């Protein structure tokens, strides 16, 4: 195994560098967004039990949660993310977001095929070549302007879940946040596809950082959800796992889904990589 491949796998497993795109990127970025009133419509009590939660390292994970929640986030991640969003010109942010999202299109295409959704696969393929050729390597989202909008990212972790592979152990990574074994392995596999496989470790880290700053800034509106929760750690863990389970269905809600599940899933799109 080459050194670069080893670096990609380690980075993907520990930090899940190939995150889903920016959830609240600048205007015109075609990503899933959160209703402004979602905090009023989600009942945290519905998160009290999630069937597929395997948290064998809960004691360690809670220590990492406290480190993230009490120190790293308020003193580093939050202020840096808000400074980036507030002071970076919107066209620059949009170009960066478009470019990074375009890198994920081939992996989403392959995973859409694995999840038996050829229509979405064709959409991802068309978005990639159109934006790469006509959008200056993806800096301009020409595809969306041509009404070829993204159907949503698909990762190999979603594909594994689609075929019944469980989430595996849940981990809380310092500075990054939640990740499962299935997601880490899936991200490592996605990193083998072009053009992600061409990225060096530091380029992958930069991709994660820029996407993470957009995602963290988008979460400011939803901070009350955690503050009002009796156990923010459990709330975040169960919400994260439920969202992963939802993605593994290909975006189709189960029959017994609660009434406000769609709003809940919209919210979860924002906490997915944080």
């Amino acid at each position: 195994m080459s050194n670069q491949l080893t670096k990609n796998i380690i980075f993907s497993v520990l930090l899940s560098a190939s995150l889903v795109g920016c959830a609240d990127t600048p205007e015109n970025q075609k990503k899933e967004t959160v209703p402004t009133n979602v905090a009023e419509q989600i009942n945290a009590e519905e998160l009290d039990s999630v069937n597929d939660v395997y948290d064998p390292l809960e004691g360690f994970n809670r220590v990492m949660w406290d480190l993230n929640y009490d120190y790293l986030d308020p003193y580093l991640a939050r202020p840096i993310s808000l400074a980036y969003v507030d002071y970076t010109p919107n066209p620059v942010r949009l170009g960066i977001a478009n470019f990074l999202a375009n890198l994920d299109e081939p992996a989403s295409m392959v995973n859409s095929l694995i999840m038996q959704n050829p229509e979405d696969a064709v959409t991802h393929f068309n978005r990639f070549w159109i934006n790469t050729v006509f959008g200056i390597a993806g800096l301009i989202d020409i595809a969306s302007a041509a009404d070829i909008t993204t159907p949503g990212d698909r990762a190999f972790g979603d594909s594994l879940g689609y075929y019944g592979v469980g989430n595996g152990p849940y981990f809380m990574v310092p500075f990054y946040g939640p990740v499962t074994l299935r997601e880490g392995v899936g991200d490592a596999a996605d990193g083998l596809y072009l053009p992600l496989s061409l990225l060096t470790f530091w380029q992958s880290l930069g991709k994660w950082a820029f996407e993470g700053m957009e995602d963290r800034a988008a979460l400011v509106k939803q901070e009350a959800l955690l503050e009002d929760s009796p156990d923010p750690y459990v709330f975040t863990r169960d919400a994260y796992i439920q969202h992963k389970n939802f993605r593994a269905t290909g975006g189709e809600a189960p029959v017994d889904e609660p009434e406000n599940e769609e709003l809940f899933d919209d919210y979860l799109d924002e906490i997915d990589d944080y």
Side-chain angles (χ1 to χ4, degrees):
M1 182 179 294
S2 69
N3 290 335
Q4 184 57 52
L5 178 56
T6 302
K7 288 180 180 180
N8 283 343
I9 291 177
I10 293 174
F11 179 72
S12 297
V13 172
L14 294 182
L15 298 180
S16 299
S18 304
L19 304 178
V20 293
C22 307
D24 191 17
T25 50
E27 321 144 5
N28 302 324
Q29 179 71 7
K30 305 295 183 179
K31 291 288 178 183
E32 296 158 311
T33 55
V34 166
T36 55
N37 62 346
V38 67
E40 299 174 1
Q41 301 188 50
I42 294 178
N43 182 0
E45 293 179 0
E46 291 183 7
L47 300 181
D48 284 344
S49 63
V50 175
N51 293 329
D52 190 19
V53 176
Y54 179 43
D55 191 4
L57 301 176
E58 182 174 349
F60 173 80
N61 285 337
R62 283 186 177 275
V63 173
M64 294 303 100
W65 166 264
D66 291 340
L67 175 65
N68 287 338
Y69 190 70
D70 294 332
Y71 300 101
L72 296 181
D73 178 72
Y75 296 109
L76 287 175
R78 191 179 190 276
I80 290 174
S81 299
L82 291 179
Y84 171 72
V85 169
D86 290 341
Y87 296 106
T88 303
N90 195 66
V92 175
R93 285 178 55 211
L94 182 57
I96 293 174
N98 286 339
F99 175 78
L100 296 179
N102 193 53
L103 297 178
D104 291 321
E105 296 285 6
S108 292
M109 177 192 71
V110 173
N111 288 308
S112 293
L113 286 174
I114 295 174
M115 298 173 75
Q116 304 180 55
N117 195 331
E119 183 178 345
D120 282 358
V122 171
T123 299
H124 285 298
F125 172 75
N126 286 333
R127 284 182 54 80
F128 180 69
W129 79 262
I130 289 173
N131 286 337
T132 300
V133 174
F134 300 108
I136 316 177
L139 289 172
I140 304 173
D141 191 356
I142 299 294
S144 291
D147 290 330
I148 306 176
T149 58
T150 177
D153 294 337
R154 287 289 176 263
F156 189 62
D158 305 329
S159 299
L160 293 175
Y162 182 81
Y163 288 98
V165 177
N167 287 295
Y170 172 86
F171 304 100
M172 180 63 62
V173 180
F175 199 76
Y176 169 71
V179 65
T180 63
L181 179 61
R182 185 180 78 193
E183 182 187 4
V185 171
D187 287 339
D190 288 333
L192 301 178
Y193 301 131
L194 291 171
L196 292 176
S197 61
L198 299 177
L199 299 181
T200 66
F201 174 85
W202 295 108
Q203 290 169 340
S204 296
L205 183 62
K207 179 178 185 294
W208 169 77
F210 278 109
E211 291 178 337
M213 286 188 292
E214 292 282 1
D215 291 330
R216 180 58 189 93
L219 282 172
V220 170
K221 298 176 184 177
Q222 312 303 332
E223 289 175 349
L225 284 171
L226 284 181
E227 294 170 359
D228 293 341
S229 172
D231 191 337
Y233 171 80
V234 170
F235 178 89
T236 300
R237 182 195 66 189
D238 291 358
Y240 177 82
I241 294 297
Q242 186 166 339
H243 179 55
K244 288 302 176 183
N245 292 342
F246 176 76
R247 283 177 59 97
T249 68
E252 306 219 347
V255 177
D256 58 348
E257 184 179 38
E259 243 175 64
N260 63 354
E261 190 70 12
E262 287 184 13
L263 292 171
F264 176 59
D265 288 318
D266 284 339
Y267 163 67
L268 290 171
D269 285 331
E270 295 203 13
I271 70 168
D272 187 21
D273 312 85
Y274 175 69

